[in-house]
Amino acid sequence: MTTALPERDGHEAVVTLDRREGPYGEVVLRQRGRDFEIIANGCFLMDTVDGRSERLLIQAALDELDRTGRPAERPSVLIGGLGVGFSLAYAAAEPRWGRIAIVERETAIIDWHRTGPLGAFSDGALDDERVEVLHTDLLEYLGAADGERYDALCLDIDNGPDWTVTESNDGLYGADGLAVLWHRLRSGGVLAVWSAQPSPAFEEALRAVGFTDVVTHEIPVARGVPDVVHLARRAA
């Protein structure tokens, strides 16, 4: 059942399409006009208004692999977070990627793509033969002792290093979490991390655990500070 919220200041009404309580808290799918947004534990997480930075997350990783020579003919990529599907759709539209694994811990978000309105934004990518959806927590998956290594890790988790909605996600961006990411990359592999705001401290943290070629790409947004993609490499 959907719930329409009253219009405010002349803006379009917000309609709640689904609301679920899961092991990590409440997740809500809302529609605002033609766009959809995901709310986690009462905080805005992402929407379908503008997917430029999510697409850059994927493109920047591939460009960096190309810049110094890819470690594989068709490199593998792990995408952390399905979200509204922009990153996955962009990766699946690129034939140069080989294996595409995507980790998503929220059953609701997977359902909204398989049978709900977000499927229009992932654009059928979940049915691509290269794509595997890993329904698990990213930190648990990455922490497995015998885990697979990838040519690229593209992470869109929470709101980035400096502003997490879910407390457990903090560990991903600390020294221990970054060390795990470093070990899950093949030699010469690339890490790309989406963030809702620039983070010089995160750049320093990347260098401190051994990443090289650390750069930050900024994407201007309509309001507030720019979205960014932090890029780093595990040296060959």
Side-chain angles (χ1 to χ4, degrees), residues 17-189:
L17 302 178
D18 195 9
R19 181 188 304 272
R20 301 194 199 180
E21 191 70 33
Y24 307 100
E26 182 187 67
V27 287
V28 178
L29 179 65
R30 304 196 311 194
Q31 183 172 2
R32 186 187 300 273
R34 295 182 179 181
D35 290 299
F36 300 88
E37 54 192 31
I38 297 174
I39 310 298
N41 294 320
C43 296
F44 173 85
L45 199 59
M46 62 192 68
D47 62 25
T48 60
V49 173
D50 184 353
R52 286 179 297 164
S53 57
E54 290 91 338
R55 296 182 184 104
L56 176 63
L57 180 74
I58 305 300
Q59 188 62 52
L62 187 58
D63 288 346
E64 183 65 14
L65 289 173
D66 283 340
R67 185 178 69 83
T68 56
R70 289 183 224 157
E73 182 178 351
R74 295 185 73 201
S76 60
V77 57
L78 172 72
I79 302 172
L82 177 54
V84 296
F86 286 131
S87 296
L88 176 61
Y90 196 77
E94 174 52 73
R96 288 180 291 172
W97 288 115
R99 169 167 165 73
I100 303 171
I102 184 154
V103 176
E104 176 55 59
R105 69 185 189 180
E106 296 288 353
T107 302
I109 292 178
I110 297 173
D111 289 348
W112 296 336
H113 281 275
R114 291 202 183 279
T115 60
L118 295 185
F121 299 93
S122 51
D123 197 24
L126 272 66
D127 297 322
D128 190 302
E129 62 181 9
R130 297 169 296 163
V131 172
E132 180 182 6
V133 178
L134 304 171
H135 184 197
T136 185
D137 178 79
L138 181 63
L139 279 173
E140 291 180 8
Y141 174 75
L142 292 172
D146 57 348
E148 180 179 355
R149 289 187 174 182
Y150 294 86
D151 299 303
L153 302 176
C154 296
L155 307 185
D156 184 359
I157 299 297
D158 222 306
N159 284 311
D162 294 340
W163 180 23
T164 54
V165 173
T166 304
E167 185 177 350
S168 61
N169 287 331
D170 292 343
L172 179 65
Y173 300 114
D176 291 344
L178 293 180
V180 169
L181 296 176
W182 190 91
H183 284 290
R184 277 303 196 107
L185 282 170
R186 291 176 178 155
S187 179

